[in-house]
Amino acid sequence: MQKAEELSSFRQIGIVVRYELLKHLRRKRIYAVLIIAALIGALQLFVPVIYNLGFPTQATVWASGFFSFTSFLVIIVGTFFAGDAIASEFELRTGYVIFPNPISRLLLMLGKFAAALFSALLAIGFYYAIGVGGLLGIYGFVPLEIAASFAYAVLAICVVLGFTFLFSSLIRGSMGATLLSFFMFLLILSTLRQVIALTGTEPWFMPDYPFGSIIQVINPQQDIVQEFPGSPIKIYSFYPKFPIDFAVLASYSVATLALSMWVFRKKEMA
Amino acid sequence: MEAIVTKGLTKYYGNILALNELDLKIEKGRCVGFLGPNGAGKTTTIKILCNLIQPTKGEAYVNGHDAVKEPAKALRNVGAMVETPEFYSYLTPLEMLSYLGRLRGIGEADLKARIDKVLEIVKLSEWAGTRIGKFSRGMKQRLGIAQALLHDPPVMILDEPSLGLDPRGMYEIREIIKAAVKEGKTVFLASHMLREIQEVADSVALINKGKLLAYDRLEKLENFFRANKIHVQLLQPIAQGKLAKLEKLDHVKAVTAEEKCLTVSFDGNETEQARLLTSLVKDLEVPVVSFKPSLEALEEIYLQLIKEGN
């Protein structure tokens, strides 16, 4: 046998990505999220036609409605592809075979992250493709803002993946990591955001607040304060703003991924 | 030059001391059996060497590289199997070994041939295309050996490689390890199975409660503890007169006779063993069918050391 070649980090990451993608394909998770994306898209396209409800006159109004489901999809696909990425190596004991190989845990995680990101992008990209098809079919053109919306969706995926990877590194069970991340984004953070907003403070620092930019960039809204005469109660409606939204998403993505790597490197296969 | 070195290797799990200042040097080309009861620290040592856990203090080197600070370099030329291996259930052995081979930088031209060869060695060729999720524990154990052999490593670290295998499987694994040793590979073999160690290892490291109790060549340990026993199978029961003469031979400490079997407690080396056999056959004219050192020797050393250690 010829002497084994010393691989570059990039090639090692590429190998991990390839086999992680094979995992997502074999376990049919990619198909599952594609079906979910297709169902949500189809419902929004065909229900108004079937019930003769008609479409808004402005393309951006229709698009903001259609893409308002993106945040929900981002949470589903993010937790779906990342929940077991690290935890399963410990839970199912496959780490005993993988870790004693000449690849650092840092590269292993980067490969797993890249594969999860690619898989999630595939699903979100598919949803955007349906939306773009709808825009072309209904209005005959695609507003440029859709590209910006997609860019925000990609950043939102990175945030969800970052947190899910962190939980997957911290928790031994894949299911626990998946559920924790899913409910954190779906219930806990949104509840906290609403409570903070009630005090009149814009929750710009919350990790999921800038997810709103996915539709805000298509159909911008202004912050609103609703006051009731004779009552001290005020209801605040805040909307994320550029560039803070971008910076918050990028910061949470990098910070959670870096923290996940640190935890994963320290975690013992005991 | 040493293939594996540990210096003051210590590991605590919470307040529990699992490994206590372990100093070990394994020369290249040696097969060292790592023996100890459950919880002795065998797997902990192997896990540190294989980048699975971090030591509380101390150092571990594999092929001259620090296994803690530069694990990728240290593990580059190591084939390891730790505990009962688990693989990605959605892959086939062919895919799993391709993944691991590619991670190790084995060229595509060599990879297929190596995979075929190691699958043949562990007798899994006909299962090459079956998903591992359908495999029994024994088959996974075989696949574990296959992945450890895949890159033809000069150093092998094996933790209970025969665990979960049937007697034939155990025999086959022992033969694979023997062949690796013959090829000049360094083998560090943790096992509960004294027979396995006695058959394949040339040296033994005995560990208990995280502390190294003894580490030497097998025959030296046997001589040191004077624990040699020789089983002699005879064609017919030995006469009392001859038995008395046998007991008086050099290095014979005691003899027990049972029907056509003799068990000789003996404290001599291999040359003296040969002399004993000659005396039995020529001088005492005892019809010997078989003459073999007992496998109980290591067991006695093991139990004696563990008892002393406690």
Side-chain angles (χ1 to χ4, degrees):
Chain A
M1 193 179 103
Q2 284 186 340
K3 200 170 180 283
E5 191 187 343
E6 202 156 333
L7 298 181
S8 67
S9 302
F10 190 73
R11 278 184 68 189
Q12 281 196 316
I13 290 173
I15 293 164
V16 177
V17 170
R18 178 176 166 180
Y19 284 90
E20 282 291 309
L21 287 176
L22 185 61
K23 171 175 87 176
H24 296 318
L25 279 172
R26 288 270 166 89
R27 296 200 301 189
K28 299 185 173 62
R29 289 191 175 185
I30 284 186
Y31 307 118
V33 292
L34 288 177
I35 290 169
I36 293 170
L39 279 175
I40 296 174
L43 278 174
Q44 292 187 84
L45 276 174
F46 299 116
V47 166
V49 177
I50 292 166
Y51 290 99
N52 209 17
L53 300 173
F55 293 108
T57 48
Q58 279 184 290
T60 49
V61 174
W62 182 84
S64 67
F66 184 90
F67 292 113
S68 63
F69 284 90
T70 309
S71 300
F72 176 64
L73 261 182
V74 160
I75 294 167
I76 289 181
V77 297
T79 52
F80 227 47
F81 292 121
D84 67 347
I86 305 299
S88 68
E89 299 287 5
F90 294 87
E91 187 182 18
L92 304 176
R93 301 156 64 88
T94 46
Y96 282 123
V97 171
I98 298 299
F99 301 154
N101 279 285
I103 177 167
S104 69
R105 291 196 186 182
L106 176 82
L107 298 183
L108 203 57
M109 178 172 269
L110 283 174
K112 284 170 177 278
F113 188 88
L117 179 62
F118 182 84
S119 306
L121 281 179
L122 201 70
I124 299 299
F126 179 59
Y127 185 68
Y128 268 77
I130 295 170
V132 166
L135 281 165
L136 286 172
I138 303 163
Y139 302 97
F141 75 102
V142 180
L144 270 178
E145 289 84 355
I146 302 301
S149 169
F150 185 70
Y152 274 112
V154 173
L155 277 172
I157 291 171
C158 290
V159 172
V160 176
L161 287 180
F163 272 99
T164 315
F165 264 78
L166 180 59
F167 296 142
S168 190
S169 303
L170 283 167
I171 297 171
R172 199 177 166 89
S174 306
M175 189 56 79
T178 307
L179 291 177
L180 178 60
S181 190
F182 186 75
F183 288 112
M184 187 188 90
F185 279 103
L186 213 64
L187 292 175
I188 302 168
L189 288 179
S190 58
T191 309
L192 269 174
R193 251 192 304 116
Q194 282 165 23
V195 171
I196 292 167
L198 276 176
T199 66
T201 309
E202 184 181 3
W204 60 269
F205 46 86
M206 297 291 285
D208 64 333
Y209 177 67
F211 289 11
S213 294
I214 292 170
I215 48 169
Q216 173 72 359
V217 76
I218 300 171
N219 188 20
Q221 305 288 316
Q222 296 298 317
D223 290 352
I224 302 166
V225 184
Q226 275 182 281
E227 292 185 62
F228 302 93
S231 165
I233 295 171
K234 290 179 183 174
I235 295 178
Y236 300 88
S237 297
F238 295 109
Y239 295 94
K241 293 149 195 82
F242 182 83
I244 295 170
D245 54 357
F246 188 88
V248 169
L249 288 171
S251 304
Y252 273 111
S253 301
V254 173
T256 49
L257 186 62
L259 201 55
S260 314
M261 281 172 184
W262 185 78
V263 174
F264 183 37
R265 277 184 67 190
K266 294 278 170 199
K267 194 165 181 176
E268 300 205 325
M269 193 81 206
Chain B
M1 171 138 182
E2 287 90 13
I4 296 171
V5 177
T6 68
K7 288 180 192 169
L9 206 59
T10 303
K11 177 69 182 176
Y12 276 92
Y13 291 112
N15 291 325
I16 299 164
L17 179 61
L19 209 54
N20 187 2
E21 302 273 345
L22 182 73
D23 291 317
L24 202 61
K25 283 182 180 173
I26 298 173
E27 285 169 32
K28 282 188 174 167
R30 300 279 290 273
C31 178
V32 177
F34 199 30
L35 264 180
N38 286 338
K42 302 187 299 293
T43 301
T44 298
T45 308
I46 283 182
K47 282 181 176 176
I48 292 171
L49 291 170
C50 292
N51 184 32
L52 293 165
I53 58 173
Q54 307 264 318
T56 308
K57 67 173 188 180
E59 294 159 40
Y61 296 90
V62 182
N63 288 322
H65 297 287
D66 192 320
V68 180
K69 291 179 183 153
E70 39 182 13
K73 279 184 182 168
L75 293 168
R76 179 151 191 83
N77 291 308
V78 174
M81 192 177 103
V82 189
E83 296 205 339
T84 303
E86 287 296 339
F87 299 88
Y88 297 134
S89 57
Y90 50 86
L91 294 182
T92 66
L94 202 62
E95 290 163 342
M96 188 74 221
L97 294 176
S98 298
Y99 181 22
L100 298 174
R102 286 184 177 123
L103 276 183
R104 286 190 169 276
I106 301 175
E108 292 298 319
D110 276 339
L111 189 56
K112 177 79 176 71
R114 275 305 294 174
I115 291 172
D116 287 346
K117 187 171 180 185
V118 294
L119 286 177
E120 194 185 320
I121 290 172
V122 300
K123 298 192 166 47
L124 282 178
S125 297
E126 58 186 294
W127 298 90
T130 307
R131 296 251 177 115
I132 301 168
K134 293 177 181 168
F135 279 22
S136 67
R137 186 177 173 179
M139 289 165 84
K140 287 179 189 168
Q141 201 81 4
R142 284 168 186 271
L143 189 55
I145 293 283
Q147 62 82 29
L149 288 167
L150 182 65
H151 49 296
D152 198 16
V155 178
M156 294 184 77
I157 299 175
L158 307 171
D159 184 17
E160 306 282 0
S162 307
L163 203 70
L165 293 177
D166 58 23
R168 189 181 156 187
M170 284 184 193
Y171 167 79
E172 286 166 359
I173 296 296
R174 279 203 294 272
E175 291 305 304
I176 291 168
I177 298 169
K178 278 186 199 171
V181 175
K182 230 179 210 173
E183 284 174 24
K185 293 187 195 303
T186 308
V187 178
F188 186 42
L189 169 70
S191 178
H192 288 100
M193 295 175 198
L194 300 172
R195 185 189 169 87
E196 186 170 72
I197 297 280
Q198 195 149 18
E199 220 174 290
V200 302
D202 51 50
S203 304
V204 175
L206 276 160
I207 187 173
N208 189 30
K209 293 183 176 171
K211 213 160 178 57
L212 190 67
L213 302 178
Y215 175 39
D216 214 328
R217 290 229 171 219
L218 191 53
E219 66 270 16
K220 278 192 183 171
L221 280 175
E222 285 173 349
N223 286 339
F224 182 77
F225 288 94
R226 302 281 187 265
N228 270 352
K229 277 192 178 174
I230 297 166
H231 283 306
V232 187
Q233 186 76 37
L234 306 174
L235 199 60
Q236 60 203 45
I238 190 168
Q240 278 303 318
K242 287 181 181 179
L243 186 64
K245 281 182 186 172
L246 174 61
E247 282 173 338
K248 283 175 188 160
L249 289 177
D250 286 348
H251 301 287
V252 174
K253 293 168 77 183
V255 182
T256 50
E258 204 172 304
E259 296 280 309
K260 296 175 189 174
C261 293
L262 292 178
T263 305
V264 183
S265 292
F266 190 75
D267 65 2
N269 57 24
E270 281 185 336
T271 315
E272 287 145 358
Q273 263 183 39
R275 251 183 241 138
L276 173 68
L277 176 61
T278 311
S279 300
L280 267 171
V281 177
K282 278 194 171 177
D283 305 338
L284 301 176
E285 294 178 335
V286 176
V288 175
V289 176
S290 70
F291 178 96
K292 57 179 177 185
S294 163
L295 292 171
E296 290 158 27
L298 185 59
E299 190 176 349
E300 282 188 16
I301 297 168
Y302 175 77
L303 293 173
Q304 192 174 330
L305 277 168
I306 301 295
K307 204 172 157 188
E308 283 170 11
N310 285 335

